């Protein structure tokens, strides 16, 4: 079995170094190029798919759109679920990461960004950013929608969804492309590789780079690889790691 994971291309808030979470911002021009490049590299390496999964957030949806356009596969079925959304950053959403680090200290921001089971300050239920008050979640069970999440909370929704839907398709022989976000993909990586709660916090997911996992019939990882220029991929990982620094510049 094989699964291709793809973090969305750079968003306009990635570019501005803002906490994004469930804020529905679009791709930057660089992000659109990253998405197209991902489609090109998948096509050049002979990949094809039968079904695609993505989140409710347009930066992931549009990344998938660009990939499928480059692959001439816009007709493929696409399943969207909020359970593949980014981690919800609560009241931090919209704040500049470097400015927040300067105000609260880099250690506190690191805890909010990268701790395993510590949630950020939660939104008030009356806040317009509460997903229960937003149109795109109008048909969802409002009791399940978060006001903020730790990585542990994110994992608790991503993995059951994967097992009940994505894995089922893979076991049926379907070739799956899943386009999502840094933390929802981090949740899957922890699950696949049995990483500890501390180890997963050090994993940085580059934007717009296909990550290919191959599994045996029991779901054990046989190998994994990022597709593309490895030096550039490492530079992207380093950039993600530095986003919480007070000295980070964009």
């Amino acid at each position: 079995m094989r699964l291709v994971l793809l973090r969305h291309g750079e968003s306009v808030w990635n570019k501005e170094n803002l906490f994004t979470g469930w804020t529905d911002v679009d791709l930057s021009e660089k992000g659109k190029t990253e998405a197209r490049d991902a489609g090109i590299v998948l096509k050049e390496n002979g990949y094809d798919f039968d079904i695609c999964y993505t989140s409710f957030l347009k930066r992931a949806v549009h990344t998938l759109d660009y990939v499928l356009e480059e692959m001439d596969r816009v007709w493929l079925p696409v399943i969207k679920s909020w359970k593949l959304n980014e981690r919800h950053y609560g009241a931090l959403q919209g704040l500049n990461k470097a400015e927040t680090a300067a105000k609260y200290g880099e250690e506190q921001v690191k805890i909010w960004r990268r701790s395993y089971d510590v949630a950020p300050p939660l939104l008030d239920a009356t806040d317009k950013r509460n997903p229960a008050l937003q149109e795109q979640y109008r048909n969802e069970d409002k009791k399940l929608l978060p006001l903020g999440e730790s990585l542990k909370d994110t994992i608790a929704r991503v993995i059951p969804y994967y097992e009940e839907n994505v894995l089922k398709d893979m076991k049926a022989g379907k070739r799956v492309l899943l386009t999502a976000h840094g933390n929802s993909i981090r949740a899957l990586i922890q699950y696949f590789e049995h990483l500890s709660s501390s180890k997963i916090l050090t994993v940085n997911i580059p934007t717009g780079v296909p990550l290919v996992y191959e599994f045996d019939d029991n779901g054990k990882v046989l190998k994994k690889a990022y597709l593309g220029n490895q030096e550039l991929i490492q530079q992207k990982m380093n950039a993600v790691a530095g986003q919480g620094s007070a000295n980070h510049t964009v």
Side-chain angles (χ1 to χ4, degrees):
M1 299 186 296
R2 187 164 70 185
L3 173 66
V4 178
L5 302 176
L6 179 64
R7 184 184 178 187
H8 61 81
E10 181 192 73
S11 74
V12 292
W13 277 21
N14 289 147
K15 182 179 179 181
E16 295 173 14
N17 203 29
L18 304 179
F19 286 100
T20 309
W22 284 30
T23 310
D24 201 15
V25 299
D26 211 341
L27 297 171
S28 67
E29 288 305 312
K30 177 182 175 182
K32 294 174 185 177
T33 298
E34 288 179 326
R36 293 189 186 99
D37 288 346
I40 291 168
V41 75
L42 283 165
K43 186 174 182 179
E44 287 178 345
N45 281 272
Y47 285 81
D48 200 356
F49 302 99
D50 301 299
I51 192 166
C52 307
Y53 285 86
T54 191
S55 73
F56 271 18
L57 300 171
K58 68 180 70 170
R59 58 191 186 272
V61 175
H62 290 169
T63 294
L64 180 57
D65 289 341
Y66 284 119
V67 168
L68 296 182
E69 184 174 338
E70 291 296 337
M71 296 185 71
D72 194 22
R73 290 293 184 269
V74 296
W75 42 267
L76 282 176
V78 175
I79 298 174
K80 301 183 181 77
S81 173
W82 68 265
K83 292 184 178 179
L84 296 175
N85 277 16
E86 176 59 285
R87 173 186 169 194
H88 196 302
Y89 274 105
L92 297 181
Q93 293 182 170
L95 300 181
N96 180 280
K97 294 176 186 177
E99 291 174 0
T100 305
K103 182 175 180 179
Y104 293 101
E106 288 189 18
E107 191 58 36
Q108 179 62 65
V109 172
K110 184 178 180 180
I111 290 170
W112 282 334
R113 289 187 69 224
R114 289 298 178 86
S115 62
Y116 185 74
D117 56 4
V118 178
L122 301 183
L123 290 175
D124 187 273
T126 62
D127 194 301
K128 65 181 181 180
R129 294 172 292 175
N130 177 358
L133 304 178
Q134 296 178 327
E135 277 295 297
Q136 67 217 82
Y137 306 102
R138 63 190 180 191
N139 295 321
E140 304 302 321
D141 185 344
K142 304 298 192 292
K143 298 189 295 294
L144 299 179
L145 300 173
L147 296 171
E149 294 177 301
S150 65
L151 178 57
K152 183 178 179 180
D153 297 328
T154 308
I155 291 168
R157 61 169 160 85
V158 171
I159 300 309
Y161 182 82
Y162 167 80
E163 292 178 331
E164 294 163 16
N165 299 275
V166 183
L167 182 58
K168 185 177 177 181
D169 279 340
M170 291 164 58
K171 287 183 173 179
K174 294 183 180 180
R175 297 164 295 180
V176 181
L177 170 61
L178 189 153
T179 302
H181 305 265
N183 282 297
S184 47
I185 291 176
R186 188 177 279 119
L188 291 168
I189 290 173
Q190 186 197 37
Y191 174 75
F192 296 155
E193 301 183 28
H194 307 289
L195 299 180
S196 67
S197 57
S198 57
K199 182 64 175 176
I200 190 58
L201 302 178
T202 67
V203 175
N204 296 299
I205 316 298
T207 53
V209 181
L211 173 57
V212 183
Y213 276 92
E214 294 194 14
F215 307 89
D216 65 17
D217 292 340
N218 295 317
K220 180 182 178 181
V221 175
L222 297 174
K223 60 180 180 178
K224 75 168 189 177
Y226 281 106
L227 299 182
N229 182 306
Q230 298 302 306
E231 184 177 344
L232 179 59
I233 291 167
Q234 187 59 54
Q235 289 174 7
K236 286 188 173 189
M237 289 179 178
N238 294 342
V240 172
Q243 286 178 345
S245 168
N247 297 320
H248 179 77
T249 57
V250 184

